[in-house]
Amino acid sequence: MGLQMPAGMAYDEWERAGQQLVGVLDSSCWWLGDWLKYGKDHYTDRYQRGIRAAGLSYQTLRNYAWVSRRFELARRRPALSFQHHAELASMPPGEQELWLDRAEQGRWTTKQLRGALRATRQGGRQAPPSAEPSRRLEVPGSRVQWWHKAAEQLGVDFEQWVMTTLDSAAASALEQELGERDGRKVSA
């Protein structure tokens, strides 16, 4: 019903406890999914009764089981969350592995993975999001609203739209600069 934290706990200990709790939460999705797989395979006649006894929504449990079936134990990446795997569950295994590798190597959040997938589906060519710390840029609110409207009209995530647009502008400017340099070299 709750968690009693000891008085005078050091920050490092408190932080470590939070990481452990998140690990338990993430693991419980896998555990429930594997539990359901077993139940469906071994107790088909009593499976629905077991699901009701668990007390979670049928759809939630069904999703856990589906992701667990799509990723056998040996293919699960401990460095990535259940949600990372859920984002990729509908793909063929080869594509799953490719995206799991990218997410793991880039230390992507689930949101970064989702953005990279969306950009790929929309034919975007920008580099995948990095795990670099973000920086703030002060912009007048009217411009931000205008940009949000543009991204919304295109049906694209706002942050992804901003990154893609800036990357495209930078590539264009740098290509022009390189072209001018190359032109000078040729004429010299």
Side-chain angles (χ1 to χ4, degrees):
M1 300 303 291
L3 178 63
Q4 187 73 35
M5 303 300 292
M9 179 182 243
Y11 175 81
D12 292 346
E13 294 174 55
W14 173 80
E15 185 179 52
R16 195 169 33 260
Q19 291 169 341
Q20 290 172 337
L21 290 169
V22 168
V24 168
L25 178 66
D26 193 58
S27 295
S28 68
C29 296
W30 289 118
W31 298 336
L32 284 166
D34 292 337
W35 172 75
L36 286 162
K37 282 180 8 185
Y38 185 90
K40 186 164 187 153
D41 294 345
H42 293 86
Y43 309 113
T44 52
D45 56 331
R46 294 173 283 178
Y47 179 67
Q48 292 295 329
R49 191 173 90 194
I51 288 177
R52 283 191 301 277
L56 291 173
S57 83
Y58 174 75
Q59 189 60 48
T60 298
L61 292 172
R62 192 171 156 210
N63 289 343
Y64 292 164
W66 181 66
V67 174
S68 292
R69 280 194 190 284
R70 299 288 294 155
F71 291 94
E72 291 302 321
L73 197 56
R75 293 186 54 236
R76 297 175 190 174
R77 307 287 179 93
L80 300 173
S81 71
F82 180 86
Q83 274 314 116
H84 283 92
H85 291 79
E87 290 293 328
L88 305 172
S90 64
M91 296 178 168
E95 284 184 56
Q96 290 172 346
E97 292 301 315
L98 174 74
W99 285 102
L100 288 170
D101 287 344
R102 289 176 179 171
E104 199 169 34
Q105 290 164 4
R107 295 184 181 157
W108 292 350
T109 63
T110 305
K111 184 177 179 181
Q112 288 172 316
L113 173 60
R114 196 176 301 126
L117 289 167
R118 189 179 307 117
T120 299
R121 288 182 189 123
Q122 294 170 350
R125 294 184 190 172
Q126 71 279 357
S130 70
E132 294 177 23
S134 46
R135 300 185 189 276
R136 290 198 177 273
L137 176 65
E138 294 205 24
V139 178
S142 59
R143 283 222 173 119
V144 173
Q145 289 173 339
W146 192 41
W147 297 342
H148 266 286
K149 187 175 181 180
E152 188 177 302
Q153 191 167 4
L154 292 170
V156 181
D157 174 70
F158 173 70
E159 290 177 17
Q160 196 65 44
W161 181 84
V162 169
M163 297 253 297
T164 302
T165 303
L166 290 174
D167 284 346
S168 175
S172 177
L174 293 173
E175 284 174 11
Q176 184 177 359
E177 181 183 307
L178 287 172
E180 289 172 3
R181 261 195 246 148
D182 290 342
R184 277 187 239 142
K185 284 182 183 176
V186 171
S187 62

